[in-house]
Amino acid sequence: QVQLVESGGGLVQAGGSLRLSCSASGRTFGRLTMGWFRRAPGQEREFVAALTWSGGITYYADSVKGRFTISRDNAKNTVYLQMNNVKPEDTAVYYCAASNYVTATARSRNYDHWGQGTQVTVSS
């Protein structure tokens, strides 16, 4: 069983930066594909970014490409989402997720474990 806990959310001005962290428990973290998703008020959950277990393959939603960076530290059982040049439309609850897929998948149904989420609010 894998448990995920997100942190680092908060209020940030448009154009600013924020780094989210996701700490994972479980001995298989190093073999999991990790992803970030988000849900804005009144909207469906959407994919943000994913990273394979080795960190060699990343995949981003077009809306965040060039602004967000996903990374991981397997020694610390932690995955990060560096958010730069944030926009008001990035306001959402951000969720960390873990998958047994070997590819950086964007499909939420491919993820088996989810965190509780952390709120990110971008002011204009």
Side-chain angles (χ1 to χ4, degrees):
Q1 185 70 14
V2 177
Q3 292 186 326
L4 305 172
V5 178
E6 303 95 337
S7 62
L11 176 64
V12 60
Q13 287 189 331
S17 298
L18 205 62
R19 189 176 80 158
L20 306 183
S21 299
C22 173
S23 296
S25 64
R27 300 170 64 180
T28 61
F29 175 80
R31 296 187 177 275
L32 297 171
T33 285
M34 300 299 296
W36 286 95
F37 291 77
R38 67 186 182 187
R39 177 175 284 162
Q43 297 190 22
E44 297 290 320
R45 182 171 56 191
E46 66 174 0
F47 168 75
V48 176
L51 177 69
T52 54
W53 70 270
S54 67
I57 299 175
T58 57
Y59 183 34
Y60 295 94
D62 288 342
S63 58
V64 306
K65 200 172 296 183
R67 300 188 297 121
F68 291 9
T69 302
I70 187 172
S71 63
R72 69 190 296 162
D73 185 338
N74 288 342
K76 295 182 178 180
N77 279 13
T78 302
V79 63
Y80 305 97
L81 184 69
Q82 178 66 43
M83 306 167 62
N84 296 331
N85 190 25
V86 295
K87 304 175 181 180
E89 51 264 42
D90 294 323
T91 295
V93 177
Y94 283 72
Y95 299 91
C96 173
S99 170
N100 289 308
Y101 268 60
V102 297
T103 58
T105 177
R107 293 184 175 182
S108 60
R109 65 185 181 188
N110 291 341
Y111 288 82
D112 308 293
H113 309 282
W114 294 84
Q116 295 298 308
T118 185
Q119 176 71 47
V120 172
T121 302
V122 182
S123 63
S124 56

